[in-house]
Amino acid sequence: MPRRKAALSVVWLVALSMIAGCSGMSEREQCMLLGAGAGVIVGGGAAAGTVAAHGNRDQFAWAVPAGVVGGALIGGLAGYLMCPTPPPPPPPPPPPPPPPPPPPPEKIILRGVHFDFDKSNIRPQDAAVLDEAAETLKAHQNVSINVNGYCDAIGSVRYNLKLSERRSNAVVRYLADHGIAEGRMSPHGFGKTDFVATNKTREGRAQNRRVELVPNQ
């Protein structure tokens, strides 16, 4: 009888030790360990009961350990097979969308003005155009402009170069008088170049006598 009690104590001690080790394990590992613990109890108890029923106490020395080991293996396998398969991990979240591209810079269009033959003064009919340009530049304080003067094909190259410079400077003075800082304007005289119309007609030559306002963007 003492040997039987000792064997059963070992069975319970092994089972309790296995159950106590469940913390920190995965769900499947816990199922296997619990199944093995149940197998230890059942296998060891069955072996002890069988030996006791036959009255052969000498078999305790090997029957009970064999029942414990066999029960642990069978119980662990059963726990592995019966434990529900854990769901697959969720897919990683999609990467954040790329930031939208910056908006394209606003394109500023400024109308130019024209001049009478051999003149560099601002005509009354062109004042409204320059007033509009001044308001646009006030609304875009970070924009600077090139003030480019041109002439028609009549006259010498040297004379027309000076005339185109006077025309561009006249526009700069007008805009400066209307609140545009001179540092934002760069006057240039290009003389009798870059024609936009024919010089064979009066109308074409009038179009070539001009100052263009070109924003630096």
Side-chain angles (χ1 to χ4, degrees):
M1 181 65 68
R3 186 178 298 176
R4 179 182 176 184
K5 290 183 177 180
L8 291 175
S9 298
V10 170
V11 170
W12 282 104
L13 181 61
V14 172
L16 291 173
S17 299
M18 296 176 72
I19 294 173
C22 287
S23 61
M25 294 184 176
S26 67
E27 185 176 357
R28 172 144 288 183
E29 290 173 339
Q30 292 179 13
C31 290
M32 292 175 61
L33 190 58
L34 290 174
V40 166
I41 297 173
V42 174
T50 300
V51 171
H54 289 79
N56 190 351
R57 297 179 178 178
D58 294 334
Q59 293 180 346
F60 267 95
W62 62 270
V64 173
V68 168
V69 174
L73 293 176
I74 296 173
L77 178 60
Y80 177 83
L81 296 175
M82 295 176 63
C83 187
T85 303
E106 180 183 1
K107 188 172 181 61
I108 300 174
I109 304 297
L110 300 176
R111 293 190 295 161
V113 292
H114 295 83
F115 294 82
D116 291 330
F117 177 72
D118 199 23
K119 301 293 182 182
S120 60
N121 57 295
I122 305 297
R123 302 182 303 180
Q125 61 266 37
D126 290 315
V129 174
L130 294 179
D131 292 342
E132 177 186 324
E135 293 303 317
T136 301
L137 292 172
K138 289 176 184 178
H140 299 81
Q141 294 292 331
N142 59 330
V143 174
S144 59
I145 61 172
N146 289 306
V147 183
N148 301 331
Y150 300 93
C151 297
D152 59 27
I154 298 176
S156 68
V157 172
R158 182 176 180 181
Y159 181 84
N160 278 288
L161 182 63
K162 294 295 184 181
L163 178 59
S164 64
E165 291 174 353
R166 293 197 301 270
R167 287 171 175 170
S168 63
N169 286 324
V171 172
V172 168
R173 287 193 301 271
Y174 185 96
L175 293 175
D177 291 341
H178 288 75
I180 307 303
E182 290 193 30
R184 298 174 59 188
M185 299 178 286
S186 301
H188 305 282
F190 292 98
K192 44 191 291 184
T193 61
D194 294 334
F195 302 125
V196 295
T198 180
N199 283 289
K200 295 180 179 180
T201 64
R202 179 181 300 177
E203 292 78 11
R205 291 192 296 271
Q207 293 182 50
N208 291 329
R209 298 190 296 266
R210 71 197 189 279
V211 164
E212 296 179 352
L213 306 177
V214 183
N216 292 317
Q217 296 178 299

